[in-house]
Amino acid sequence: MQLPPLSLYVHLPWCERKCPYCDFNSHEIETIPEREYVAALLCDLDRDAHLAAGRSINTLFIGGGTPSLFSAEAIAELLQGLRQRLSFAADCEATLEANPGSAEARKFRDFRQAGITRLSLGIQSFDDDKLRALGRVHNRAQAMAAIDYARSAGFDSFNLDLMHGLPGQGRQDALADLQTAIDFAPPHLSWYQLTIEPNTVFHKRPPLLPVEDELGAIQESGEALLAQHGYQQYEVSAYSRAGAQCRHNLNYWRFGDYLALGAGAHGKVTTAEGRVLRYAKTRTPRDYLANALTTVEQRELDAQDLLGEFMLNALRLNQGFSLDQFEARTGLDRGALQPQLGELAARGLLDTAAEAVRASPLGRRFLDTVVAEFFPH
């Protein structure tokens, strides 16, 4: 069988301050043990390198936490160690997440020189009041400076991460925020609604958020504004100029494979025999640095898992997927999608024309409901 494309995700788990909405595996710290953590990452990879035997890494994503808190020297050491152990495609997309609070012009240039080809800047808002409400450590001026630093460092490819539906935010405020981002003409925008997740400060002490009708108006008006300025929506919350889609995230949504390194990182690999394995690394940085047993969970996906997880990812894409792609990625017959496809199409939630499947406009509004039909009840 033909194996899917392979990516690599590396998790750097520390941040300067934990945001009240954040449910990621991130931990506040004053002094990062850079050298020790890079060494642990490479030791972890030594154990997992067999999973990539004979395959090239097409995309790399370094997420967190706040990866830009790491020095450029540490990132360069990490990339050098990865290259010594893995084969990277000549056009590999290498993304690093960065926060404006830790942005420096020279550091961004050094990241670029080390081999990072794309930055994802966690702006979230250009409104100082909203940034304070979100617990961010940067302000509007720092956000704007970070974008200028990225450009001057030679990053032709970068993403601005922006939220809407913020505490006290009305439609005009949200659109003004979005217009500010658009005015910088970024190649890529991630624009998504703030949601309240369990085990967060906002979940314990919920802020006052816009009502449902206001959220719908923000979404509809924002999508029109982005389209007006030439941004194509290709996924639920991803918008890009032509040719500037995030290849790493596309690999997730197309049910590709990805190795995982770092505290709490999750991976998915397909074996030569066609078995699809999911695995997770130990969650706490302290345990990960102890470097004893890093992979704490591994399981093979059964037919029902494959069906549900494929749909969970692929239906996020505006273009959906072809039935040939479904069979190639899961090893299942297209008949496994029935009778859900017929039922959901009859309800106006899916479009199933020409051997392709995608969520209808109505289905996109109720995507969680659509996807739930493909998981066991």
Side-chain angles (χ1 to χ4, degrees):
M1 65 173 293
Q2 183 176 358
L3 295 175
L6 181 63
S7 294
L8 171 63
Y9 176 75
V10 180
H11 192 73
L12 308 186
W14 292 289
C15 56
E16 186 175 346
R17 182 196 301 165
K18 182 82 169 180
C19 296
Y21 59 85
C22 178
D23 68 336
F24 295 158
N25 184 32
S26 58
H27 307 264
E28 293 183 11
I29 196 171
E30 291 185 8
T31 304
I32 297 174
E34 289 187 342
R35 295 186 64 86
E36 294 86 348
Y37 193 71
V38 169
L41 288 169
L42 297 178
C43 185
D44 190 8
L45 177 56
D46 286 336
R47 298 189 186 103
D48 283 358
H50 67 281
L51 298 173
R55 303 171 71 180
S56 292
I57 303 297
N58 293 292
T59 68
L60 162 68
F61 197 102
I62 303 176
T66 306
S68 55
L69 286 177
F70 276 63
S71 67
E73 292 77 13
I75 296 299
E77 182 181 350
L78 171 63
L79 293 178
Q80 181 181 14
L82 296 177
R83 294 188 193 105
Q84 289 171 348
R85 293 162 171 81
L86 296 169
S87 173
F88 283 80
D91 63 343
C92 179
E93 173 194 85
T95 301
L96 182 134
E97 288 185 334
N99 281 355
S102 57
E104 301 171 16
R106 180 169 182 176
K107 181 185 271 191
F108 278 11
R109 288 197 299 270
D110 290 344
F111 285 153
R112 186 76 181 89
Q113 186 173 0
I116 299 298
T117 65
R118 183 177 183 272
L119 289 179
S120 183
L121 299 173
I123 304 295
Q124 312 314 353
S125 176
F126 290 96
D127 184 308
D128 283 335
D129 289 337
K130 300 298 183 290
L131 288 169
R132 282 190 289 271
L134 291 172
R136 303 296 288 176
V137 299
H138 70 273
N139 57 30
R140 174 186 175 91
Q142 289 172 307
M144 292 180 166
I147 300 170
D148 289 337
Y149 295 160
R151 277 222 164 86
S152 63
F155 285 100
D156 299 322
S157 180
F158 64 91
N159 168 62
L160 301 186
D161 212 54
L162 203 68
M163 289 185 186
H164 61 84
L166 307 181
Q169 186 183 57
R171 176 176 169 274
Q172 292 305 317
D173 291 338
L175 293 181
D177 230 7
L178 183 56
Q179 184 64 61
T180 301
I182 291 171
D183 289 343
F184 281 97
H188 191 284
L189 267 164
S190 297
W191 187 66
Y192 55 96
Q193 180 184 323
L194 170 65
T195 56
I196 306 301
E197 303 292 347
N199 302 314
T200 64
V201 173
F202 274 180
H203 189 262
K204 296 173 185 175
R205 298 190 293 275
L208 185 61
L209 301 180
V211 298
E212 198 66 33
D213 287 349
E214 185 77 356
L215 290 171
I218 290 172
Q219 184 73 37
E220 184 176 344
S221 299
E223 289 179 359
L225 182 63
L226 285 159
Q228 175 187 335
H229 288 274
Y231 288 91
Q232 177 188 10
Q233 183 185 24
Y234 66 97
E235 187 266 347
V236 170
S237 59
Y239 304 78
S240 76
R241 303 283 195 190
Q245 297 174 333
C246 176
R247 290 167 48 203
H248 185 87
N249 287 342
L250 274 175
N251 192 45
Y252 290 151
W253 298 321
R254 291 170 175 166
F255 212 53
D257 283 353
Y258 45 97
L259 301 178
L261 299 175
H266 288 68
K268 167 190 170 287
V269 291
T270 307
T271 69
E273 300 77 31
R275 298 164 58 227
V276 179
L277 307 177
R278 279 212 179 276
Y279 63 95
K281 299 304 173 78
T282 187
R283 184 174 175 82
T284 67
R286 181 187 59 190
D287 290 342
Y288 189 84
L289 284 166
N291 207 25
L293 180 66
T294 52
T295 298
V296 294
E297 178 186 340
Q298 179 172 302
R299 65 187 180 91
E300 180 178 352
L301 301 187
D302 61 22
Q304 189 62 61
D305 291 329
L306 288 166
L307 174 60
E309 291 198 19
F310 179 90
M311 300 302 282
L312 176 67
N313 286 280
L315 286 179
R316 293 182 64 90
L317 293 169
N318 284 37
Q319 69 178 27
F321 63 93
S322 72
L323 295 178
D324 286 343
Q325 289 170 332
F326 170 76
E327 292 184 337
R329 288 289 185 268
T330 65
L332 302 174
D333 185 88
R334 64 190 64 192
L337 289 172
Q338 297 296 345
Q340 293 99 320
L341 288 190
E343 178 186 343
L344 291 167
R347 292 162 57 188
L349 297 170
L350 288 182
D351 293 331
T352 58
E355 295 292 294
V357 178
R358 63 181 180 180
S360 67
L362 179 63
R364 293 182 70 78
R365 287 181 56 196
F366 300 100
L367 193 57
D368 288 346
T369 300
V370 174
V371 169
E373 293 296 321
F374 296 94
F375 283 92
H377 295 287

